[in-house]
Amino acid sequence: SQVKEVNKYFRLQKMYNGHDPMQSDLKLIKYNEIYSNNVDHEIFNKGYFSFDVKTSLSNQVIKNLFFNKKLKKLADIYCGFETEPYTISTMLNIKKEILHPVAEFHRDTDDFISLGFFIYWSETNKNNGSTCYKTGSHLVSNLENTINQNKYIEVKAGTIVAGDWMGLHRGNQKMEESERLITMIKLT
C-alpha cells in the first residue's frame, strides 16, 4: 500500500533532530540513530525529527499529493482565490514524551490565508500523537467560545485532514504506542 511505501521510504532517509530542519542542529542522522541522539537543547531532540523539502518531494506519493488538483480546488474554495503550493514538511515523532513548544497551543501564522493538509502516515489517537485543535478558534469572533472545545484528531494511517492552522492547535505530548509520521502541505 502507499502508506507502507511512504513509511518505508522515510525510514531509509536521513533526517534532522528538530520539528523543522531549521529548528535542528542541522546535522543529518539516520533512522537507526534517532533513539540514541542525545543532544541536550531547548528545542532539538525533543521527540521530533524532520525531513527537508527535497526528501519529501522525492517520494512520488507525496509529490502527487503536493500537486493534487482536488486538494488545490479545496484550498481555492476555502481561501477564495487561486492557490499554489506554499510549503511542505514531513515529520517523525518517536516513542517518548514530547517536550517541545509545538506541544503547547499555538497558531501557524502567515501573512496570508492558507489551507493546510495533514497527511497521517500512522494511526493516531489521544495517547499516540493525535493533533489537538480548539474548534472554531480560527474565527476571531468565536475565540472566547473555544476555551474548552478541544478536539483530538484521531485517524487511521492514510487519512488526510484539511485545516486552517491559524486556529489554536497543538501536537500531542503522548507517544505511547508507536511512532508518528505526518506530512503537512499548505496552499496559499
Side-chain angles (χ1 to χ4, degrees):
S1 80
Q2 290 184 332
V3 169
K4 287 181 183 177
E5 176 188 324
V6 169
N7 274 280
K8 181 179 177 182
Y9 169 80
F10 279 104
R11 281 164 177 80
L12 295 173
Q13 306 305 312
K14 291 186 176 181
M15 61 193 82
Y16 296 92
N17 65 349
H19 174 261
D20 181 91
M22 295 305 294
Q23 296 176 6
S24 74
D25 63 8
L26 299 177
K27 296 176 184 168
L28 286 166
I29 60 172
K30 295 178 183 175
Y31 174 76
N32 63 359
E33 300 170 329
I34 62 177
Y35 285 98
S36 61
N37 186 303
N38 293 318
V39 175
D40 186 26
H41 189 272
E42 182 180 345
I43 295 178
F44 311 159
N45 198 43
K46 301 299 181 187
Y48 271 93
F49 294 85
S50 58
F51 302 87
D52 59 36
V53 171
K54 183 178 178 182
T55 300
S56 289
L57 290 177
S58 291
N59 178 276
Q60 195 60 49
V61 173
I62 291 178
K63 186 175 183 177
N64 290 345
L65 287 167
F66 190 70
F67 294 108
N68 184 286
K69 290 179 182 179
K70 290 180 182 177
L71 296 183
K72 181 187 177 334
K73 181 74 172 171
L74 284 172
D76 292 352
I77 292 167
Y78 182 80
C79 294
F81 54 83
E82 288 286 322
T83 61
E84 295 296 330
Y86 167 66
T87 188
I88 184 168
S89 179
T90 299
M91 298 159 279
L92 176 71
N93 297 108
I94 62 171
K95 292 190 290 184
K96 74 182 273 184
E97 185 178 10
I98 307 293
L99 301 172
H100 189 281
V102 297
E104 301 297 327
F105 279 109
H106 65 281
R107 298 177 187 277
D108 293 350
T109 56
D110 294 307
D111 290 339
F112 28 77
I113 298 170
S114 65
L115 186 65
F117 297 93
F118 279 11
I119 301 104
Y120 291 87
W121 303 110
S122 311
E123 186 171 329
T124 66
N125 59 53
K126 274 185 170 181
N127 295 316
N128 206 67
S130 64
T131 302
C132 184
Y133 193 92
K134 285 200 174 283
T135 306
S137 64
H138 65 296
L139 304 170
V140 176
S141 62
N142 195 36
L143 195 55
E144 288 186 19
N145 297 327
T146 66
I147 292 172
N148 294 314
Q149 294 186 18
N150 296 341
K151 169 74 174 148
Y152 284 91
I153 302 171
E154 299 179 280
V155 298
K156 297 206 178 297
T159 301
I160 300 174
V161 175
D164 183 338
W165 303 108
M166 275 292 286
L168 290 169
H169 65 283
R170 68 176 180 208
N172 192 330
Q173 294 178 337
K174 295 181 181 179
M175 290 298 304
E176 297 175 0
E177 298 167 19
S178 64
E179 297 169 349
R180 178 187 82 154
L181 185 66
I182 183 171
T183 299
M184 188 271 302
I185 297 172
K186 267 191 186 176
L187 289 94
T188 189

